[in-house]
Amino acid sequence: MDKNITPYKDSSLGKKEQVAKMFDTISGNYDNLNRVISFGIDVKWRKKVLKIVNDNKPETILDIATGTGDLAILMSNTSAKEIIGLDISAGMLEVGIKKVAQKNLSDRIEMILGDSEKIPFDDNHFDAITVAFGVRNFENLEKGLAEILRVLKPNGTFVILETSVPEKTPYKQGYNFYSRNILPIIGKLFSKDNVAYGYLSESAAAFPYGEALNNILRKTGFIDVKAMPQTFGVATIYVASKK
Ligand SMILES: C[S@@+](CC[C@H](N)C(=O)[O-])C[C@H]1O[C@@H](n2cnc3c(N)ncnc32)[C@H](O)[C@@H]1O
């Protein structure tokens, strides 16, 4: 992906540090914003991810870019013995750790600070790995995906939930209007960080989706790659596995 799309245009920091800083800043408002921006539909998409993961009865699950932990928390509906949420933003994790504790899930879900480009686990460790709205923010997409492939077990399940761009009229035009005009205003109203939601819509428009992301997954070494567009294509669930 285009490394030039970063949150803070005039920053001397690299994309990774800028992304961590931005999510640290918006962490307190993130959950509310997320629901408003997606009109709550993200909850339905997350449940689909849970179903896909649960179909293979995983014992070990890693939720990368877990943020405030919604997907990791949902994974407690599986019978997995190990559920890990990993993120580079200490601020997002702090909110997530509180949510996990409030739901009495601290003994089932471990939330750790870490980088998708250097995952602190051995090869072939996880039965299932998920990333929701995270891959778009990776500084180096290919490196992050290669690390995910490394720690995934053979025949394991990898699921990405990510924004995409509707291709059909009138959804395409509606989406463009919403993301260019409405999304940044909602972001500014709700968020302390003025640039954050400008970055989020800009990066969503530029990120590869559908067959383009399928091809990147295949090139990384994933097999059985499939893209399933959701809600007119505003998001896509990608499923892949390892030989
Ligand atoms: C839009 S949030 C998504 C959070 C959560 N998965 C959800 O569905 O609500 C993106 C998250 O990706 C994290 N992130 C970005 N780059 C990362 C990396 N290289 N390693 C781990 N987490 C990363 C950010 O810190 C942020 O919490």
Side-chain angles (χ1 to χ4, degrees), residues 186-230:
I186 299 175
K188 276 183 196 159
L189 285 177
F190 276 75
S191 165
K192 279 188 280 174
D193 192 322
N194 280 356
V195 301
Y197 284 82
Y199 158 76
L200 291 183
S201 55
E202 205 184 319
S203 64
F207 192 72
Y209 64 93
E211 205 43 34
L213 190 52
N214 282 350
N215 285 333
I216 295 172
L217 287 163
R218 289 187 193 108
K219 213 172 133 199
T220 310
F222 287 97
I223 59 163
D224 301 334
V225 177
K226 190 164 73 174
M228 295 174 282
Q230 308 293 314

Side-chain angles (χ1 to χ4, degrees), residues 16 20 23-24 48 113 115 121 152 160 162 180 234 238:
K16 196 178 293 179
F23 281 105
D24 279 346
K48 284 195 184 172
L113 193 63
D115 182 357
F121 287 93
L152 185 67
I160 296 175
E162 190 49 86
R180 280 187 206 139
V234 296
Y238 303 84

Side-chain angles (χ1 to χ4, degrees), residues 28 36-37 49 57 66 73 82 84 86 89 98 123 130 141 149 158 170 173-174 197 199 204 206 223 231:
V36 172
I37 279 169
V49 174
K57 302 280 165 264
T66 195
I73 289 169
E82 181 182 43
I84 310 270
L86 174 140
S89 160
K98 280 194 196 128
D123 297 0
T130 54
L141 176 63
L149 185 70
F158 177 38
Q173 289 74 8
Y197 284 82
Y199 158 76
I223 59 163
T231 321

Side-chain angles (χ1 to χ4, degrees), residues 19 23 30 34 46 65-67 86-89 92 114-116 132-134 137-138:
V19 164
F23 281 105
Y30 176 80
N34 220 2
R46 289 171 198 277
T66 195
L86 174 140
D87 203 282
I88 45 160
S89 160
M92 293 288 273
D115 182 357
S116 65
F133 309 113
N137 297 295
F138 288 0

